[in-house]
């Protein structure tokens, strides 16, 4: 096997002396150097087991003939950051993760990489970095949490947030809330529904960058440790065959990812992350593609919060590969794409069977004929907005109601908790976009408060911010252009009628063009003051939500 960049020549002796300082042997110095990018920390529940994953990966790399060397990546727990200023720092870490990993990997000239992410922006951030660095790379996540159990029923973090809403509306006792608090999140791992972390870990499999089970094997299963060892060994095979991320993450692979996204019913955040990852691969994804693919892709899964099945159920049913197998029956995916297994999609899914036709519906008996995500357009969102259609009640797919307008999440949540929102309302939360927030906060607290009050089938919520994958109901985010950039959402007034038609992909402010023009002339744009540090840099450079809220435009 070829050695590493530093193993030969007198001119590399200074670097080898520093490897001596690390305690590396000559044998280790003569093997390929494999960077193990560990996002382990002690604040994110999805990451608290990653130290064990790292140890298993290191063993796998060593067994495969490489020298594993660990360096860190940061990660934010969206659940802990939710509902306060901390959420401004979630999405923005995606670029910090990509940038810092690029710096570490290229500064130290690693020959291959194993990425070990789990929770939300950590996964796309490392996928972006993998594309930039483009050395043989494989992903293995920390794995999902097992579902909680409350009163004999499976539950998850989204139920916990909704319990708070139910309590504030007098529909749940403090004792019941405590029951959820103690039992909704029973193990380490990424939260147990089809939220953003699990969505992106599943889509990593679809893109071909993770082995089978990367997105679904529970964090606490011994099988997860076995997967980590296999990933460590497999990255050495990728190194030997010189199979790199840009050989795997092709335009066809992203088409597959969007298709699987629709079939599984992933988080709307995937509509930010897939374009950002594709951008690093030199591929442009636009929101119109989502509707084109959704129109012909049936929704096969209703995992929480859309339904009552969880990641452990998807795993038992056959996982992501079983979903791909169903999609392949109608030729909805490209099966000739290369993957990190060294085989094509077709070869990977050939032996797979769907073991639970309720968790993964057969292609001829879907939950719906169209996909789980829809992109709406209209005078309120000229460049588009996004909704998780599979988590919207049937009666809210078409809705018209009066606007209740708020200039921040805090303003909205105070009124919602006070019972100030009534059936039929369309809650509008603006100035929370990528630049205006800044940071494009998730709105799980207000949507959960609405659901907890029993209004999720009667009230819509629209925002230029975004939503957690744990959100359910008519929650429409990523309104673009955002308010701070002069989008029409900045000129909505209380009482304006807003029409939403998800089947027809439309969202309309029922106000004349002339009236909107008059408001543009009279109503000032609100700009937050006191923004500094990284948030200031981010706000000054971030693109719009419809292009993925990206910093580095690789045109």
């Amino acid at each position: 096997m070829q050695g590493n960049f530093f193993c030969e020549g007198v001119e590399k002796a200074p670097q080898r002396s520093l490897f001596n300082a690390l305690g590396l042997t000559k044998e280790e110095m003569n093997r390929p150097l494999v960077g193990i990018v560990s996002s382990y920390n002690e604040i994110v529940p999805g990451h608290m087991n990653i130290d064990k994953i790292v140890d298993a990966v290191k063993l796998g790399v060593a067994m495969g003939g490489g020298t594993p060397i660990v360096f860190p990546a940061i990660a934010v727990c969206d659940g802990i950051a939710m509902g306060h200023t901390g959420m401004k720092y979630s999405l923005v870490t995606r670029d910090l993760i990509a940038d810092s990993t690029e710096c570490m990997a290229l500064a130290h000239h690693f020959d291959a990489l194993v990425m070990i992410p789990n929770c939300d922006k950590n996964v796309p951030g490392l996928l972006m970095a993998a594309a930039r660095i483009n050395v043989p790379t494989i992903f293995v996540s920390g794995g999902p949490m097992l579902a909680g159990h409350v009163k004999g029923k499976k539950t998850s973090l989204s139920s916990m947030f909704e319990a708070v809403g139910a309590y504030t509306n007098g529909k749940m006792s403090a004792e019941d809330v405590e029951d959820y608090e103690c039992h909704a999140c029973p193990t380490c791992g990424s939260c147990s529904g089809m939220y953003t972390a699990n969505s992106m870990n599943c889509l990593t499999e679809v893109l071909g960058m993770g082995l089978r089970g990367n997105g679904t094997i529970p964090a606490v299963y011994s099988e997860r440790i076995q997967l980590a060892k296999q990933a460590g060994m497999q990255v050495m095979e990728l190194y030997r065959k010189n199979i790199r991320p840009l050989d795997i993450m092709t335009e066809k692979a992203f088409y597959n990812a969007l298709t699987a996204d629709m079939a599984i019913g992933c988080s709307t955040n995937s509509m930010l992350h897939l374009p950002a990852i594709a951008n690093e691969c030199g591929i442009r994804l636009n929101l119109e593609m989502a509707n084109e693919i959704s129109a012909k892709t049936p929704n096969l899964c209703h995992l929480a919060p859309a339904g009552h099945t969880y990641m452990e159920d998807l795993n038992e049913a056959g996982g992501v590969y079983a979903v791909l197998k169903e999609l392949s029956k109608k030729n909805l995916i490209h099966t000739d794409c290369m993957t990190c297994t060294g085989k094509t999609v077709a070869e990977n899914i050939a032996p797979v069977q769907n073991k639970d036709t309720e968790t993964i519906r057969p292609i001829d008996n879907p939950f719906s004929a169209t996909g789980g995500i829809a992109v709406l357009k209209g005078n309120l969102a000229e460049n588009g907005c996004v909704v998780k259609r599979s988590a919207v009640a049937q009666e809210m797919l078409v809705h018209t109601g009066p606007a209740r307008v708020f200039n921040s999440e805090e303003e909205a949540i105070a009124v919602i908790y006070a019972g100030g929102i009534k059936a039929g309302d369309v809650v509008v939360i603006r100035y929370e976009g990528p630049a205006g927030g800044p940071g494009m906060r998730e709105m799980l607290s207000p949507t959960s408060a609405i659901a907890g009050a029993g209004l999720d089938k009667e009230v819509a919520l629209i925002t230029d911010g975004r939503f957690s994958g744990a959100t359910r109901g008519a929650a429409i985010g990523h309104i673009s252009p955002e308010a701070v950039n002069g989008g029409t959402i900045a000129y909505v007034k209380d009482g304006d009628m807003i029409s939403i038609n998800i089947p027809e992909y439309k969202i309309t402010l029922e106000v004349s063009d002339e009236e909107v023009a008059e408001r543009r002339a009279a109503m000032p744009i609100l700009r937050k003051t006191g923004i500094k540090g990284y948030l200031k840099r981010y706000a000054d450079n971030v693109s719009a939500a419809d292009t993925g809220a990206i910093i580095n435009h690789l045109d």
Side-chain angles (χ1 to χ4, degrees):
M1 183 186 298
Q2 180 184 349
N4 66 69
F5 177 73
F6 302 104
C7 68
E8 294 181 355
V10 174
E11 70 277 7
K12 299 296 191 301
Q15 288 90 340
R16 291 196 295 274
S17 72
L18 294 171
F19 288 143
N20 280 322
L22 291 171
L24 296 185
T25 65
K26 287 187 182 297
E27 291 80 5
E28 288 175 301
M29 290 188 216
N30 287 332
R31 295 174 177 175
L33 298 182
V34 181
I36 313 297
V37 186
S38 169
S39 58
Y40 169 77
N41 63 52
E42 295 183 343
I43 189 62
V44 183
H47 291 229
M48 63 178 288
N49 66 318
I50 282 179
D51 56 341
K52 298 177 179 62
I53 304 294
V54 168
D55 288 343
V57 167
K58 289 173 68 178
L59 184 57
V61 168
M63 287 191 293
T67 297
I69 299 178
V70 179
F71 65 89
I74 64 169
V76 165
C77 176
D78 278 23
I80 295 174
M82 196 73 66
H84 58 93
T85 297
M87 182 45 70
K88 293 179 183 290
Y89 287 90
S90 172
L91 178 60
V92 304
T93 65
R94 188 183 69 184
D95 293 275
L96 281 175
I97 291 161
D99 292 349
S100 59
T101 302
E102 172 195 352
C103 291
M104 286 293 289
L106 294 179
H108 300 104
H109 213 291
F110 285 105
D111 298 293
L113 296 167
V114 182
M115 307 290 199
I116 311 179
N118 214 25
C119 293
D120 289 25
K121 312 312 165 291
N122 192 241
V123 185
L126 289 180
L127 283 164
M128 290 163 66
R132 284 187 208 170
I133 300 160
N134 200 34
V135 299
T137 301
I138 199 168
F139 277 65
V140 57
S141 77
M145 187 183 292
L146 293 177
H149 288 83
V150 176
K151 300 186 186 302
K153 294 183 178 180
K154 285 185 178 181
T155 191
S156 60
L157 182 66
S158 54
S159 299
M160 179 72 256
F161 275 89
E162 290 178 17
V164 174
Y167 173 77
T168 60
N169 282 273
K171 296 186 176 184
M172 186 176 287
S173 68
E175 292 74 19
D176 284 338
V177 173
E178 185 177 10
D179 195 9
Y180 275 96
E181 181 180 337
C182 294
H183 299 106
C185 299
T187 71
C188 63
S190 48
C191 295
S192 57
M194 188 49 72
Y195 311 148
T196 306
N198 293 326
S199 295
M200 294 311 302
N201 282 326
C202 287
L203 294 180
T204 298
E205 275 190 67
V206 181
L207 283 170
M209 292 297 292
L211 297 175
R212 183 182 181 185
N214 176 73
T216 60
I217 297 171
V220 295
Y221 282 13
S222 298
E223 190 181 354
R224 174 65 54 180
I225 300 298
Q226 294 169 338
L227 182 73
K229 292 175 184 175
Q230 291 163 353
M233 290 185 282
Q234 185 59 28
V235 79
M236 298 312 301
E237 286 299 308
L238 296 175
Y239 172 77
R240 291 183 187 95
K241 295 175 180 177
N242 196 28
I243 298 174
R244 300 171 181 247
L246 294 185
D247 300 321
I248 295 171
M249 291 193 287
T250 62
E251 191 168 355
K252 286 183 177 180
F254 281 100
Y255 184 97
N256 286 350
L258 282 168
T259 302
D261 189 329
M262 299 302 166
I264 295 171
C266 292
S267 164
T268 53
N269 282 314
S270 63
M271 293 294 103
L272 290 173
H273 300 322
L274 287 175
I277 300 161
N279 175 69
E280 299 290 347
C281 298
I283 297 166
R284 188 180 301 278
L285 295 187
N286 59 62
L287 292 183
E288 283 76 11
M289 287 179 63
N291 282 346
E292 292 169 11
I293 292 172
S294 179
K296 57 185 178 183
T297 305
N299 178 226
L300 305 180
C301 300
H302 265 192
L303 292 112
H308 301 290
T309 52
Y310 295 83
M311 294 306 298
E312 62 203 65
D313 302 309
L314 179 59
N315 188 62
E316 293 300 319
V320 172
Y321 277 22
V323 175
L324 295 179
K325 185 67 171 286
E326 291 293 341
L327 293 170
S328 71
K329 293 175 182 178
K330 291 287 181 73
N331 297 315
L332 294 174
I333 57 170
H334 298 284
T335 58
D336 58 342
C337 295
M338 176 54 62
T339 72
C340 67
T341 66
K343 300 177 181 178
T344 64
V345 172
E347 292 173 299
N348 288 340
I349 66 176
V352 176
Q353 293 185 350
N354 182 355
K355 299 177 182 178
D356 182 348
T357 55
E358 275 307 305
T359 299
I360 304 172
R361 287 283 184 88
I363 195 74
D364 292 321
N365 182 33
F367 284 101
S368 65
T370 52
I373 289 177
V375 174
L376 315 184
K377 282 193 172 183
N379 65 347
L380 190 51
E382 293 175 352
N383 295 339
C385 56
V386 181
V387 62
K388 188 171 182 176
R389 172 168 46 189
S390 59
V392 179
Q394 186 69 28
E395 50 267 56
M396 287 299 293
L397 291 173
V398 178
H399 177 77
T400 299
R404 295 294 309 279
V405 183
F406 304 95
N407 290 327
S408 70
E409 179 186 7
E410 288 82 0
E411 289 180 21
I413 197 70
V415 172
I416 296 168
Y417 279 154
I421 300 300
K422 64 181 184 297
D425 285 347
V426 177
V427 177
V428 178
I429 304 178
R430 62 193 180 193
Y431 294 104
E432 292 286 6
M440 203 179 183
R441 286 193 288 182
E442 288 185 345
M443 303 291 163
L444 181 55
S445 292
T447 56
S448 296
I450 288 169
L455 293 172
D456 57 294
K457 295 181 180 179
E458 300 174 284
V459 169
L461 191 155
I462 69 172
T463 180
D464 53 7
R466 60 195 177 93
F467 294 107
S468 165
T471 290
R472 63 184 174 94
I476 300 167
H478 308 198
I479 295 279
S480 185
E482 62 177 291
V484 79
N485 289 334
T488 304
I489 191 173
Y491 306 106
V492 180
K493 291 185 176 181
D494 277 340
D496 287 346
M497 299 303 289
I498 293 175
S499 295
I500 298 161
N501 191 320
I502 295 173
E504 294 186 6
Y505 307 113
K506 294 178 180 178
I507 184 166
T508 306
L509 175 66
E510 302 292 354
V511 172
S512 70
D513 293 344
E514 293 76 14
E515 172 64 19
V516 171
E518 290 177 9
R519 293 181 187 182
R520 284 183 185 277
M523 295 172 64
I525 294 292
L526 303 181
R527 300 185 186 277
K528 293 182 173 67
T529 59
I531 305 299
K532 57 186 178 181
Y534 181 58
L535 280 184
K536 176 69 164 58
R537 275 204 324 276
Y538 184 86
D540 289 345
N541 291 284
V542 68
S543 76
D546 62 282
T547 59
I550 55 178
I551 299 293
N552 294 300
H553 300 260
L554 301 181
D555 293 328

